[in-house]
Amino acid sequence: MLIQPRRRWLLPVMLGGLIVALLSTSLWLWHRSTPANDDAPVTVAKLAAQDFFTLNYLHPDADLDRVLSRAADPFKAQYSAQRDAVKQGLVDKKLTLTAKVPENGTALEYRSGDNAQVLVAVDATTATGDGHSETNRYRVRVRLACEANGWLVTDLTQVG
């Protein structure tokens, strides 16, 4: 039996269409299952670390409130419990702390769903009322959770 020339191209075209459809579907499903590659947790971790190491005895309440505005429990409860002691230490010693995260000073360590963990390097300068100044580099691990109002810090721990 001879295959008619017209039908000879039909099978390869149908198989090609099926392969394209399967690849497209696979790509679409893979893309949907991959979390968004946004930098929101890294950005929030960087700002939270800067806020944590930026305090001024002239306006301690505003600085402490800024730290708490990016916080969720259990970090929020722990920081709130230490608030008065931190404020008193700032005012008594007339301390001014300023922080800067160097370029490339952040690294996303872990992210899964609504949880993330970011390493942040912070250069913190502490100035006392008598004019003495000292700069130190800290490395902190910031754990975050994505809640209704965005990414919030659940833990901030010095790691180096």
Side-chain angles (χ1 to χ4, degrees):
M1 172 176 191
L2 289 173
I3 299 177
Q4 296 177 3
R6 188 172 170 206
R7 290 188 182 176
R8 197 176 299 177
W9 61 266
L10 187 59
L11 183 60
V13 168
M14 287 177 48
L15 287 174
L18 181 61
I19 289 171
V20 168
L22 287 172
L23 287 173
S24 298
T25 303
S26 297
L27 182 61
W28 179 76
L29 289 171
W30 174 78
H31 180 69
R32 274 193 48 180
S33 68
T34 304
N37 192 15
D38 66 75
D39 292 337
V42 175
T43 300
V44 171
K46 177 182 176 180
L47 293 171
Q50 281 179 279
D51 291 346
F52 185 81
F53 289 99
T54 301
L55 302 169
N56 191 315
Y57 75 98
L58 296 173
H59 41 78
D61 287 318
D63 294 343
L64 296 168
D65 288 343
R66 190 175 55 248
V67 173
L68 290 170
S69 72
R70 299 185 200 283
D73 287 328
F75 178 68
K76 189 172 192 168
Q78 293 167 349
Y79 196 79
S80 294
Q82 297 174 359
R83 180 186 178 111
D84 290 339
V86 171
K87 180 179 175 180
Q88 193 64 48
L90 286 170
V91 173
D92 288 350
K93 297 175 184 174
K94 295 186 178 182
L95 295 177
T96 301
L97 289 84
T98 54
K100 181 180 179 194
V101 174
E103 188 174 331
N104 298 322
T106 59
L108 180 64
E109 185 176 35
Y110 169 82
R111 180 171 179 187
S112 177
D114 291 342
N115 295 298
Q117 193 167 288
V118 180
L119 294 174
V120 183
V122 181
D123 294 329
T125 302
T126 305
T128 59
D130 63 5
H132 178 71
S133 177
E134 181 179 354
T135 301
N136 292 297
R137 167 138 316 159
Y138 297 96
R139 289 173 190 84
V140 293
R141 174 173 287 123
V142 182
R143 289 187 173 96
L144 304 114
C146 188
E147 298 187 356
N149 51 344
W151 288 94
L152 297 174
V153 176
T154 58
D155 186 47
L156 192 147
T157 307
Q158 185 175 340
V159 292

